[in-house]
Amino acid sequence: MDATWLKPIVETKYLSTENAHRYRAILRYFYIQHERMRQYLFPEEVYAFLKQHEEFADYTEDDLQQDLDQLVKWNNLIARQETSHVRTIEEFKKKRFRYQCSPYTVEIERMIRTLEQLGDSFGGSLEKTRFDRLYASLSRIEAIIASGFQEQRDEMYQVWEETFDYFKKIIQNSADYMAYLHSENVEERMTSESFLVYKEQFTAYLRDFIVALQKTSMQIEQLLEDLPEEGVRQFIGHVVDYERSIPRFADAPPPRAVQIEEKWETWRSLCEWFLGRNGRESELSFLQYQTNEAIRRLTRVVQRLGERHHHFRSRKGDYLHLARWFSRLESIEEAHCLSAVVFGCFHTKHLVADAEATDNIYRDVWDEPPAEWVTKPRVRHYGEKKKPQAIEDKEREKEEARLRYLEEKEREEAALRQLVTDGKIVLADLPEVTPYVRKTLLGWIAKAMGREGQAMKTENGLVVKVVNKEGTICLRAEDGELVMPNYEIHVLSGGE
């Protein structure tokens, strides 16, 4: 652990000490003048500023001098003796000072001003263009590595700084905006009728972000996977060399190897944010999940508000229209049919059973086996009888289930291989296919279209490329027909 993490920060004492209001007013004035490129101030200027406010009506020059001396002790101000206009020895002995706020103080006041503007709610945004800018910066890094580092070191340093500036803004703004959507103030506003005015704006904003994110993130992931590790390390070495060439009046910088390792860890953080690590889901996928959940939550809120709105609305006009509709029918059988469509079945019983959940999102309720429901006596002291049972060994059932799964996957892969003719899959010439084959082919097309060259590697080791032909086709499957663009999938290389 770095020893500097454990040291107290004396520069922040002025924020919570006894005369904090005086210290804060003085340092805020110094910070404002610093932003206006006025580095050094005389005590008379500070005193004139303070006396303009009622809170400092009884404030004296001696009080100001004591406060300035105390701030110098806390390293908030830097005192410098003014000797340029001294005419006598007495004036020199008085040690007339002018003051400059320290770098720590500037950053502290800048942070406080940001917090004051932030208020009690989260800010942030979901800017879809930042992913495009990040991708452009990463593409410049790739081009510099491919060219053999022919660019100047200052150009490489600028590209590196731009890349991680975009990356940090993406993380900070997206995290703040998600926290804003889940804050208590937004939750309360969502329950009011006025939220209906903003629902389209919120939904469109989140939907556009998701579309841009899915389009650009695939390109960024592919680029990060293709960048050679050794090339990135050489690029980082040039960036570190440029930083070390900047003259500074300070202690000796850390060793070059330490600086390279720090920037390499920063690069790994960027890669892990987009690609994940050790089989874990990436932060990018989690951001997509959070955005989709926010859209679903907004939709549910709008639906509940709409139901509440319709609950208090008069249905007189609807019932009159239905009454005229019923009066025009010629037979009671037709009236029964219309009643069933409009009002549903009368005396319907709703049964609930504890069905086992499945991980297959495409499985319908009709595919599930029937469930049994055991009724229990409605008495207060009823308790089920339980008998001690031994732990059953189900290794055999597990092995059989694993073998069945492997056999099913092998059959599905064999069905895909049979579709390849002359090294390509022509969707227009395919016979009726199974739902699995249809979903797999559409998944390949979706992933390949978002990547450069429209090529990708499938989960079973095939490298395929999607070619878009003119016109449209009808892809026939066992569960329906799909009208889609005329694609051909060319198999460039096969897996084991």
Side-chain angles (χ1 to χ4, degrees):
M1 180 180 293
D2 193 343
T4 56
W5 300 356
L6 309 178
K7 295 172 60 178
I9 303 178
V10 296
E11 289 85 354
T12 59
K13 281 187 176 181
Y14 77 94
L15 295 173
S16 58
T17 189
E18 182 179 356
N19 294 322
H21 66 286
R22 288 158 50 173
Y23 300 137
R24 290 199 59 188
I26 294 172
L27 291 182
R28 177 57 61 91
Y29 180 70
F30 270 93
Y31 169 73
I32 293 173
Q33 298 305 315
H34 173 84
E35 293 294 300
R36 297 175 182 175
M37 305 301 293
R38 294 190 62 206
Q39 307 299 331
Y40 290 95
L41 300 178
F42 289 100
E44 304 89 71
E45 301 177 63
V46 182
Y47 185 73
F49 167 75
L50 296 177
K51 294 297 287 184
Q52 296 175 4
H53 302 84
E54 296 180 359
E55 294 84 356
F56 294 89
D58 300 330
Y59 197 64
T60 64
E61 294 186 4
D62 292 337
D63 295 334
L64 174 63
Q65 192 59 50
Q66 292 177 6
D67 293 342
L68 293 176
D69 294 340
Q70 184 61 56
L71 291 173
V72 170
K73 291 180 181 178
W74 288 337
N75 299 329
N76 295 114
L77 294 178
I78 301 172
R80 182 175 180 180
Q81 186 175 2
E82 177 61 33
T83 59
S84 57
H85 300 287
V86 174
R87 291 168 293 182
T88 63
I89 297 177
E90 288 74 13
E91 290 182 359
F92 181 80
K93 289 182 178 180
K94 288 182 179 179
K95 293 185 179 180
R96 187 166 181 261
F97 290 99
R98 57 179 180 173
Y99 298 87
Q100 177 190 22
C101 56
S102 64
Y104 258 57
T105 305
V106 172
E107 294 301 326
I108 292 172
E109 285 295 320
R110 185 174 290 146
M111 178 191 68
I112 294 173
R113 195 161 190 178
T114 303
L115 294 175
E116 291 171 351
Q117 296 173 355
L118 180 63
D120 296 332
S121 61
F122 288 95
S125 60
L126 298 178
E127 294 295 336
K128 56 186 179 181
T129 57
R130 284 205 177 97
F131 284 94
D132 297 331
R133 297 170 187 170
L134 177 61
Y135 177 68
S137 295
L138 291 173
S139 300
R140 290 177 65 188
I141 293 178
E142 183 184 34
I144 292 174
I145 295 175
S147 66
F149 306 99
Q150 296 181 1
E151 298 286 343
Q152 298 293 330
R153 286 179 177 175
D154 57 346
E155 179 70 18
M156 299 184 200
Y157 176 77
Q158 181 181 358
V159 174
W160 178 268
E161 290 294 316
E162 288 179 355
T163 300
F164 284 93
D165 182 57
Y166 294 143
F167 179 56
K168 290 176 183 177
K169 288 182 178 178
I170 288 174
I171 295 177
Q172 295 173 358
N173 290 345
S174 58
D176 289 348
Y177 193 76
M178 286 302 166
Y180 166 74
L181 290 181
H182 291 84
S183 62
E184 185 177 355
N185 292 336
V186 175
E187 293 282 354
E188 293 177 356
R189 293 181 181 179
M190 282 185 180
T191 58
S192 61
E193 297 289 340
S194 60
F195 176 71
L196 294 174
V197 181
Y198 303 99
K199 67 180 181 67
E200 294 295 337
Q201 183 179 357
F202 268 104
T203 306
Y205 183 70
L206 295 173
R207 184 176 60 248
D208 293 344
F209 175 74
I210 279 290
V211 172
L213 178 63
Q214 291 175 342
K215 177 182 177 182
T216 312
S217 62
M218 292 183 179
Q219 298 174 336
I220 295 177
E221 291 173 6
Q222 185 65 40
L223 191 149
L224 292 175
E225 291 176 353
D226 295 340
L227 279 175
E229 180 178 334
E230 185 59 31
V232 176
R233 283 190 175 273
Q234 293 181 17
F235 186 92
I236 292 175
H238 288 292
V239 173
V240 170
D241 290 339
Y242 177 78
E243 285 185 343
R244 294 173 67 87
S245 66
I246 300 175
R248 302 182 188 275
F249 293 101
D251 298 334
R256 182 176 183 272
V258 174
Q259 291 181 289
I260 291 177
E261 191 61 29
E262 289 177 355
K263 292 192 178 298
W264 175 250
E265 290 297 327
T266 306
W267 175 262
R268 285 184 57 188
S269 299
L270 186 147
C271 295
E272 291 170 5
W273 198 88
F274 281 95
L275 304 176
R277 180 182 182 184
N278 298 331
R280 291 186 299 180
E281 192 176 16
S282 65
E283 295 297 327
L284 174 66
S285 302
F286 184 65
L287 177 59
Q288 291 178 341
Y289 170 78
Q290 282 188 311
T291 310
N292 286 325
E293 283 298 316
I295 295 176
R296 295 191 189 99
R297 190 161 63 97
L298 292 175
T299 306
R300 289 194 297 267
V301 169
V302 171
Q303 182 180 2
R304 288 197 297 269
L305 291 175
E307 292 174 354
R308 185 192 308 171
H309 178 72
H310 288 295
H311 179 72
F312 295 103
R313 188 171 62 89
S314 175
R315 304 294 299 274
K316 180 179 178 180
D318 298 339
Y319 287 124
L320 287 175
H321 176 75
L322 284 174
R324 286 190 291 268
W325 200 350
F326 275 103
S327 66
R328 290 194 297 266
L329 299 179
E330 298 180 355
S331 64
I332 190 65
E333 287 77 14
E334 294 180 357
H336 288 327
C337 294
L338 180 58
S339 174
V341 173
V342 175
F343 302 109
C345 299
F346 293 96
H347 309 296
T348 303
K349 296 183 181 297
H350 299 275
L351 303 178
V352 180
D354 294 332
E356 295 183 358
T358 176
D359 295 333
N360 189 355
I361 62 175
Y362 301 106
R363 190 175 181 89
D364 295 325
V365 67
W366 316 112
D367 300 329
E368 295 292 330
E372 296 182 0
W373 180 264
V374 180
T375 58
K376 300 177 182 180
R378 294 186 177 182
V379 294
R380 180 177 300 177
H381 303 292
Y382 171 76
E384 296 184 13
K385 296 182 180 180
K386 297 181 180 180
K387 296 181 180 180
Q389 297 179 352
I391 299 177
E392 298 181 5
D393 185 8
K394 296 187 178 182
E395 288 295 329
R396 181 179 177 182
E397 290 82 351
K398 293 180 181 178
E399 183 64 22
E400 292 176 354
R402 189 181 70 85
L403 293 176
R404 287 195 301 270
Y405 173 78
L406 294 177
E407 291 175 359
E408 183 179 358
K409 295 297 290 183
E410 187 175 352
R411 287 195 300 269
E412 292 172 349
E413 292 183 4
L416 287 172
R417 288 194 293 268
Q418 290 177 359
L419 302 178
V420 181
T421 304
D422 296 332
K424 60 183 179 180
I425 302 176
V426 183
L427 271 65
D429 300 338
L430 293 182
E432 186 178 84
V433 296
T434 62
Y436 170 79
V437 172
R438 173 181 58 79
K439 295 167 188 172
T440 303
L441 295 178
L442 293 180
W444 291 358
I445 294 173
K447 291 182 179 179
M449 294 299 290
R451 305 207 174 178
E452 187 177 358
Q454 298 183 355
M456 54 87 66
K457 187 173 183 180
T458 66
E459 59 274 4
N460 53 4
L462 296 176
V463 178
V464 298
K465 179 179 180 181
V466 176
V467 179
N468 191 2
K469 300 293 184 179
E470 295 182 356
T472 59
I473 62 170
C474 181
L475 180 61
R476 294 179 293 110
E478 295 176 358
D479 55 352
E481 297 180 352
L482 174 65
V483 177
M484 59 178 291
N486 186 10
Y487 289 118
E488 289 184 2
I489 301 177
H490 292 194
V491 181
L492 304 181
S493 63
E496 297 180 357

